[in-house]
Amino acid sequence: MESKVDKGIFWPSITLVAVLTLLLVVFRDTAAPVLQDILTAITSRLDWAWEFLTIALFGVLLWLMVGRYGKVRLGGVDDRPEFSRFSWGAMLFCAGMGTSIMFWSIVEPLYYYTGPPFGIEAGSDRAAEFAVAYGLFHWGISAWALYALPAVVIAYSFFVRNSSSLRVSAACRGVLGRHADGPIGKVIDILVIWSMVGGLGTSLGLGVPMVAAVTSDLTGIEQSTYLNIGIIVIWTVIFSASAYAGLYEGIRRLSDWNVYLALALAVFVLLAGPTLFILSYFTNSLGVMLDNFMMMSLSTDPITQGGFPQAWTVFYWAWFAATAPFIGIFVARISKGRSIRDLVLNILAWGTAGSWLYFAIFGGYGMNLQLSGEADLVATLGDGGGPAVVVELLNSLPLSVLASVAFLVLGFVFLSTSLDSASYVLASVASTDVHGAEPARWHRLLWGAVMSALAVSLILVGGLEVVQTSAVLVAVPVLVMYLLLTLSLTRWLKQDRAVHVHVEDDEPDPPGQVHHEEAESP
């Protein structure tokens, strides 16, 4: 069964993406510095707001998990989870991370080693202790808390309040009332759509150059615009097959394979590399992070004004918040039948565990190469950038060709799951009556084609970075959106208190990979 297209959202959305992208590309030389100045202002003047927001969200999520509403089922009395816990966790992790975790788990510790916080001397032993620790912090529980809150509220709106659409505006109805269907609601949904374009830009900005560098190293093909476009074409073919198969047989299967391959590659690096050092270094880094968690969470460095919290922590929170509505919509859609406690706990657990695994193994291995003198990754980073660091790290491994091929395949699959999730969400937002229905296949494929064409165009004209920066600016109104979502949820929970159906968190998963009645008709 397929849902109908909402022309009032579909056509304005397509037009908006095309017009804004065109304007940013045409005027990119003048727009880029202006957008960068605005972004700097956001991270420097609102640093306190972003840090308080993230801590407060974590507090709200803890209240939802341990409080009386934790057992509320996201669905009706007879609704049960549609996916096994593994497939569910795989989809939410792949939608949230993409190629970002592959890139930053290798490169980010090097930045912290050469530019550490708290006045620590660059390149010192103390800097090395914080190198992976800060990665664990930035990609851990705090980051996933920014994703979890929208997912809970949207899921509650859709499965408990029976909203006819998967839109953030509908999830704000508890506060906005009828205004959720008016201009205010439309603005909210437009911001969400633009944040998805920026999320795609981020995945492309990190993933395509990284995959191109590894491809060039393996095949000898010179890195060029044509290679980048070829990568996007292959990526689109993989996505199209998955999108045509749908959520249950397409996105789920691709996400499962993604996690299997990601785990296999991580285990290989752990065993082939300095295993004991990696395990010991992760343990120490985790201790450093936990010992300094509140300092990392609330540091704004107002005295020495070194800029580290603003350049890294605050930027990350703004970036994650800008893409959180998109992730929230997708995670909400796949969470029917789960309890609120189950949803929150698993988003935090799956997301954090996956991120920590990659920072522990790839970050630890990279730092070992640097500290032992086996490779000067810091010099490579300065001379050739992050993709060159990735290539050098892979070439240092035993069976380097096999490792590089596996890394390459994983990069393609991660990119595909990112486009998969984005196109599904875009099609869902621009559809009506998505209860018991999938967005039309042509609709999902169309959004995927639009984003692929957009990606190729931006790479050809060099406008990828300016679109990516513009999307992060969406994070400012998202600050208000978080407040609306939180108030909506608390109001609904109190109003529905007498009719809530409770379930235990240890409720068994469905017996098969998928248990549903909403599968697409052939």
Side-chain angles (χ1 to χ4, degrees):
M1 181 179 175
E2 294 182 342
S3 58
K4 297 180 180 179
V5 175
D6 186 340
K7 295 179 181 179
I9 291 289
F10 177 76
W11 289 114
S13 299
I14 289 283
T15 304
L16 172 79
V17 169
V19 171
L20 280 181
T21 303
L22 179 63
L23 290 174
L24 287 171
V25 168
V26 171
F27 300 104
R28 64 184 180 278
D29 292 335
T30 53
V34 173
L35 291 172
Q36 190 58 50
D37 289 343
I38 296 174
L39 183 60
T40 301
I42 291 173
T43 56
S44 61
R45 297 180 183 179
L46 293 176
D47 48 5
W48 57 274
W50 286 111
E51 294 189 350
F52 273 127
L53 168 72
T54 309
I55 286 292
L57 286 178
F58 188 57
V60 171
L61 294 171
L62 284 177
W63 169 69
L64 288 173
M65 279 195 294
V66 303
R68 62 185 300 172
Y69 299 115
K71 295 181 179 181
V72 172
R73 189 195 304 278
L74 298 169
V77 176
D78 299 321
D79 287 333
R80 292 294 181 270
E82 299 176 291
F83 303 96
S84 70
R85 193 170 298 273
F86 178 83
S87 293
W88 179 48
M91 285 191 286
L92 69 86
F93 176 74
C94 293
M97 287 295 101
T99 52
S100 301
I101 196 66
M102 296 176 66
F103 180 84
W104 286 115
S105 63
I106 295 172
V107 175
E108 193 169 319
L110 300 174
Y111 281 111
Y112 299 148
Y113 180 60
T114 55
F118 309 136
I120 298 171
E121 181 184 353
S124 64
D125 292 343
R126 188 62 173 159
E129 288 189 331
F130 271 87
V132 168
Y134 243 105
L136 299 179
F137 169 67
H138 282 149
W139 297 79
I141 292 175
S142 298
W144 286 91
L146 289 163
Y147 288 154
L149 194 280
V152 172
V153 186
I154 295 167
Y156 192 92
S157 168
F158 190 63
F159 292 120
V160 179
R161 281 278 167 159
N162 293 314
S163 170
S164 62
S165 65
L166 270 171
R167 297 174 190 161
V168 176
S169 60
C172 295
R173 193 183 302 278
V175 173
L176 296 180
R178 59 185 176 83
H179 296 294
D181 299 318
I184 295 176
K186 290 291 189 292
V187 169
I188 290 174
D189 293 326
I190 286 171
L191 290 174
V192 171
I193 289 170
W194 188 248
S195 75
M196 280 187 264
V197 174
L200 172 66
T202 301
S203 295
L204 286 170
L206 296 175
V208 173
M210 178 179 69
V211 170
V214 178
T215 301
S216 177
D217 182 65
L218 282 172
T219 64
I221 299 174
E222 183 181 356
Q223 292 190 56
S224 65
T225 300
Y226 296 108
L227 178 59
N228 291 340
I229 293 174
I231 289 169
I232 293 175
V233 170
I234 296 172
W235 172 41
T236 305
V237 170
I238 298 172
F239 146 75
S240 298
S242 175
Y244 186 81
L247 175 64
Y248 300 99
E249 298 302 324
I251 298 176
R252 177 184 64 82
R253 289 185 184 276
L254 196 61
S255 297
D256 285 354
W257 297 339
N258 197 347
V259 170
Y260 288 136
L261 184 57
L263 284 172
L265 184 60
V267 170
F268 170 76
V269 174
L270 176 64
L271 298 178
T275 307
L276 293 179
F277 174 82
I278 291 173
L279 294 174
S280 179
Y281 189 38
F282 166 68
T283 303
N284 188 77
S285 298
L286 182 60
V288 171
M289 188 273 290
L290 293 175
D291 191 43
N292 294 274
F293 181 80
M294 291 307 298
M295 182 63 178
M296 291 174 167
S297 298
L298 298 175
S299 172
T300 57
D301 195 15
I303 309 303
T304 61
Q305 298 184 5
F308 182 93
Q310 291 76 18
W312 287 103
T313 304
V314 179
F315 174 78
Y316 267 141
W317 294 170
W319 175 27
F320 292 146
T323 57
F326 147 55
I327 304 299
I329 292 172
F330 181 75
V331 173
R333 175 60 188 87
I334 63 175
S335 299
K336 180 181 180 180
R338 303 282 176 180
S339 68
I340 289 179
R341 178 179 299 149
D342 206 18
L343 177 56
V344 173
L345 181 61
N346 277 270
I347 291 178
L348 298 182
W350 273 88
T352 300
S355 301
W356 283 4
L357 176 71
Y358 259 59
F359 266 93
I361 294 176
F362 284 90
Y365 180 68
M367 285 300 297
N368 180 73
L369 292 177
Q370 180 66 39
L371 296 173
S372 66
E374 292 182 44
D376 192 350
L377 297 183
V378 170
T380 302
L381 181 62
D383 296 337
V389 172
V390 172
V391 170
E392 185 169 354
L393 181 142
L394 292 173
N395 285 337
S396 70
L397 288 165
L399 303 174
S400 59
V401 173
L402 179 62
S404 295
V405 169
F407 192 89
L408 190 62
V409 172
L410 182 60
F412 272 114
V413 177
F414 254 131
L415 282 169
S416 298
T417 53
S418 297
L419 184 56
D420 245 349
S421 306
S423 63
Y424 188 91
V425 168
L426 284 165
S428 297
V429 171
S431 298
T432 59
D433 250 351
V434 289
H435 271 289
E438 293 270 14
R441 280 176 173 148
W442 70 264
H443 196 182
R444 299 195 301 266
L445 290 171
L446 177 62
W447 276 112
V450 167
M451 289 191 288
S452 297
L454 176 64
V456 171
S457 302
L458 291 174
I459 286 176
L460 285 174
V461 301
L464 193 61
E465 186 174 343
V466 70
V467 173
Q468 181 179 330
T469 303
S470 72
V472 177
L473 306 187
V474 172
V476 177
V478 167
L479 275 169
V480 179
M481 197 182 301
Y482 272 109
L483 179 61
L484 294 176
L485 289 171
T486 303
L487 292 176
S488 282
L489 180 63
T490 53
R491 179 171 295 180
W492 280 337
L493 287 171
K494 291 179 181 178
Q495 290 175 352
D496 301 341
R497 182 164 47 195
V499 295
H500 282 315
V501 176
H502 299 292
V503 297
E504 294 299 327
D505 278 347
D506 57 357
E507 174 187 337
D509 278 322
Q513 282 281 67
V514 184
H515 175 72
H516 61 86
E517 298 177 356
E518 293 84 357
E520 289 184 313
S521 57

